[in-house]
Amino acid sequence: MTSIKEQAAISRLLSFLQDWDNAGKAARSHILDNFIENNQGKTAPELEQEFSQGASLFLVRLTTWLRLIYMTGSSLEKVLKSIGIFLASVNSNRYLIEFLEVGGVLTLLEILGMENIKEEDKKESIKLLQVIANSGRKYKELICESYGVRSIAEFLAKSKSEETQEEVQVLLDSLVHGNPKYQNQVYKGLITLLPSVSPKAQQLALQTLRTAQSIIGATHPSIVDCVLNVLRTMHLEVQYEAIELIKDLVNYDVCEALLKGLVDLLTPSLPEASELQPKILSDSTVLQLTTAHLPAVHLPVFLQQAAAAKAIGVLARGNTSLAEEMLRLRVVHSLMAAMGNADHSNSQRQASLTLEYFVRIFPVVEEHVQRSMGEELYKLFRSNAEDLHMKIDSVQVDILATNKVNVSRALYHHGQFYNNRSFYFCPRDQEQLSDITSFQEDVEGKE
């Protein structure tokens, strides 16, 4: 037989549940306020004690009401916070299973895609998904099996709140860890975020991609073009993250494609206005930065050119072998051509700073650059590479833009590479190494 104390506790529980069942929206909202205030941070045993071992009876009412109201958004944030108290409590596995058995994950993911639901409510949904994902591998797999990666990524791209976007990043980071079955799905989802119109989404996706890349250890073919296109951004924090990811990617099999892509960006072919997305033309910030002689449609290409010159400099300074590889790709010619872009001073500045490093490190580059520039221009360049673009005239601009420097040809002709340093090859087919070796032997045999 139950004791008088136990009977009283059961009576209080039944009374509480009856009050909930009979309450309208306003009264239920008040009940939730009290529940959240009094039970935040409690463990599962403490919740059971609070509800006389019947906490699940209240949880099932919360999940039922969630399914009834989530399409309208009424009191949604409070319901989600209340459910979160159960799911986040210590030793809460029982509550978690009960929530998942009634389709809790699908409901949370559906909330993310609904237009009429407030951002704050969606953030609470993300927090619940974090709790679920952090509960173990099988729960991460359940989220991914429910097309969760797509829903979460789309929400990150559309969200207007940076605080909410950062919560989404935490969730995606959790999904890529300890989830071998679906980590590639998360990785691909992050890549699809790179063309986003949201700079914050791009920044967070790039940060998380660095983590995902190190976990997966292999690359997706589309990542090179996607990362290079991000360099069109006007936002320095996004450009920084893109360059940091590029620094990581040169250690993988996309190294050669990445270096070639960066060098190619130094000499872009300007697009027609119709080829660019309408958002470029409608962005008032872009238009403010253009000049009368520089069409707005060209600015993203020039931003990309300047960022590529900067990235090449970062890679070259960090790894001489990469610098040597870029010499083979005629980076010196392309840097000088970028220095001749009188329509964009930052392209000239970044290209000049990077070229100054190549000239300082490689004597053969110094020789060819000096010969191509001529004494006067070369003297200006060596005295202050950063400010060169402010001191040169139109004739000198033409000299740079139309240069024919080909350091790689000279290096092949002499059959040596940069003070006897070993030539660095990015990961690629061994056949290419054999082809170049044969080419050098042929040259040496003809001399």
Side-chain angles (χ1 to χ4, degrees), residues 169 194 199-211 227-228 230-231 233 235-249 310-311:
Q169 182 196 27
L194 296 186
K200 188 65 175 181
Q202 289 180 309
Q203 180 188 12
L204 296 175
L206 288 163
Q207 289 175 349
T208 314
L209 263 173
R210 293 187 65 198
T211 302
V227 173
L228 293 181
V230 171
L231 295 179
T233 182
H235 300 268
L236 293 179
E237 69 278 11
V238 179
Q239 181 189 109
Y240 169 81
E241 296 297 345
I243 293 176
E244 288 298 301
L245 179 57
I246 287 171
K247 286 165 59 178
D248 291 344
L249 289 174
K310 181 178 179 180

Side-chain angles (χ1 to χ4, degrees), residues 365-410:
V365 174
E366 179 182 22
E367 176 189 343
H368 280 72
V369 169
Q370 183 173 8
R371 185 188 310 148
S372 177
M373 286 186 176
E375 289 301 325
E376 183 180 352
L377 178 55
Y378 184 74
K379 186 176 179 180
L380 282 174
F381 168 63
R382 292 310 303 269
S383 64
N384 192 336
E386 185 170 7
D387 295 336
L388 178 67
H389 64 280
M390 297 187 290
K391 300 175 180 178
I392 55 179
D393 56 33
S394 59
V395 174
Q396 291 168 327
V397 166
D398 287 341
I399 290 173
L400 293 167
T402 59
N403 82 89
K404 303 296 183 184
V405 172
N406 192 344
V407 175
S408 60
R409 180 186 300 168

Side-chain angles (χ1 to χ4, degrees), residues 146-388:
S146 304
Y147 301 99
V149 173
R150 183 175 64 185
S151 299
I152 295 164
E154 288 177 355
F155 174 58
L156 174 57
K158 294 178 182 177
S159 175
K160 304 299 181 184
S161 164
E162 291 193 358
E163 184 179 343
T164 302
Q165 288 176 309
E166 288 170 357
E167 294 288 352
V168 179
Q169 182 196 27
V170 171
L171 174 57
L172 288 170
D173 186 74
S174 176
L175 290 175
V176 84
H177 282 89
N179 189 15
K181 187 175 180 181
Y182 290 103
Q183 62 188 18
N184 272 300
Q185 187 183 99
V186 181
Y187 175 64
K188 293 174 185 176
L190 291 166
I191 293 175
T192 64
L193 281 168
L194 296 186
S196 171
V197 297
S198 166
K200 188 65 175 181
Q202 289 180 309
Q203 180 188 12
L204 296 175
L206 288 163
Q207 289 175 349
T208 314
L209 263 173
R210 293 187 65 198
T211 302
Q213 190 64 69
S214 64
I215 292 172
I216 294 170
T219 57
H220 191 274
S222 67
I223 196 169
V224 172
D225 288 340
C226 288
V227 173
L228 293 181
N229 284 333
V230 171
L231 295 179
R232 292 186 171 211
T233 182
M234 298 176 60
H235 300 268
L236 293 179
E237 69 278 11
V238 179
Q239 181 189 109
Y240 169 81
E241 296 297 345
I243 293 176
E244 288 298 301
L245 179 57
I246 287 171
K247 286 165 59 178
D248 291 344
L249 289 174
V250 293
N251 296 311
Y252 295 88
D253 57 349
V254 295
C255 174
E256 183 179 15
L258 197 54
L259 296 183
K260 186 177 186 305
L262 285 170
V263 174
D264 288 345
L265 292 179
L266 296 174
T267 53
S269 55
L270 296 178
E272 297 295 331
S274 60
E275 293 178 3
L276 291 182
Q277 297 180 6
K279 66 175 184 295
I280 297 295
L281 296 175
S282 61
D283 190 335
S284 59
T285 311
V286 172
L287 297 176
Q288 289 169 8
L289 292 179
T290 59
T291 62
H293 66 281
L294 173 58
V297 294
H298 292 170
L299 183 59
V301 177
F302 292 157
L303 290 169
Q304 189 181 33
Q305 181 188 47
K310 181 178 179 180
I312 289 169
V314 169
L315 294 176
R317 291 181 183 91
N319 188 327
T320 304
S321 295
L322 291 176
E324 294 172 352
E325 169 72 356
M326 286 186 281
L327 288 184
R328 185 185 70 84
L329 297 170
R330 296 197 65 193
V331 70
V332 175
H333 159 76
S334 298
L335 286 170
M336 291 180 66
M339 289 168 64
N341 181 7
D343 286 329
H344 198 244
S345 60
N346 197 38
S347 287
Q348 293 178 295
R349 176 177 168 271
Q350 294 293 348
S352 184
L353 287 170
T354 297
L355 181 63
E356 192 274 337
Y357 172 78
F358 279 95
V359 167
R360 182 160 43 87
I361 297 300
F362 302 110
V364 67
V365 174
E366 179 182 22
E367 176 189 343
H368 280 72
V369 169
Q370 183 173 8
R371 185 188 310 148
S372 177
M373 286 186 176
E375 289 301 325
E376 183 180 352
L377 178 55
Y378 184 74
K379 186 176 179 180
L380 282 174
F381 168 63
R382 292 310 303 269
S383 64
N384 192 336
E386 185 170 7
D387 295 336
L388 178 67

Side-chain angles (χ1 to χ4, degrees), residues 66-109:
L66 173 64
R67 296 201 307 276
L68 291 173
I69 68 162
Y70 80 92
M71 290 190 177
T72 65
S74 175
S75 300
L76 187 55
E77 184 178 6
K78 294 178 183 179
V79 180
L80 292 171
K81 282 185 175 180
S82 299
I83 293 173
I85 289 174
F86 283 98
L87 301 191
S89 62
V90 178
N91 299 322
S92 63
N93 195 56
R94 169 186 167 188
Y95 302 141
L96 180 59
I97 292 173
E98 290 172 356
F99 180 68
L100 298 180
E101 284 179 344
V102 296
V105 165
L106 289 173
T107 302
L108 296 176
L109 293 173

Side-chain angles (χ1 to χ4, degrees), residues 42-53 55 89-92 95:
K42 284 188 176 180
T43 65
E46 287 172 336
L47 288 172
E48 287 300 323
Q49 184 177 4
E50 176 72 19
F51 284 91
S52 305
Q53 309 307 312
S89 62
V90 178
N91 299 322
S92 63
Y95 302 141

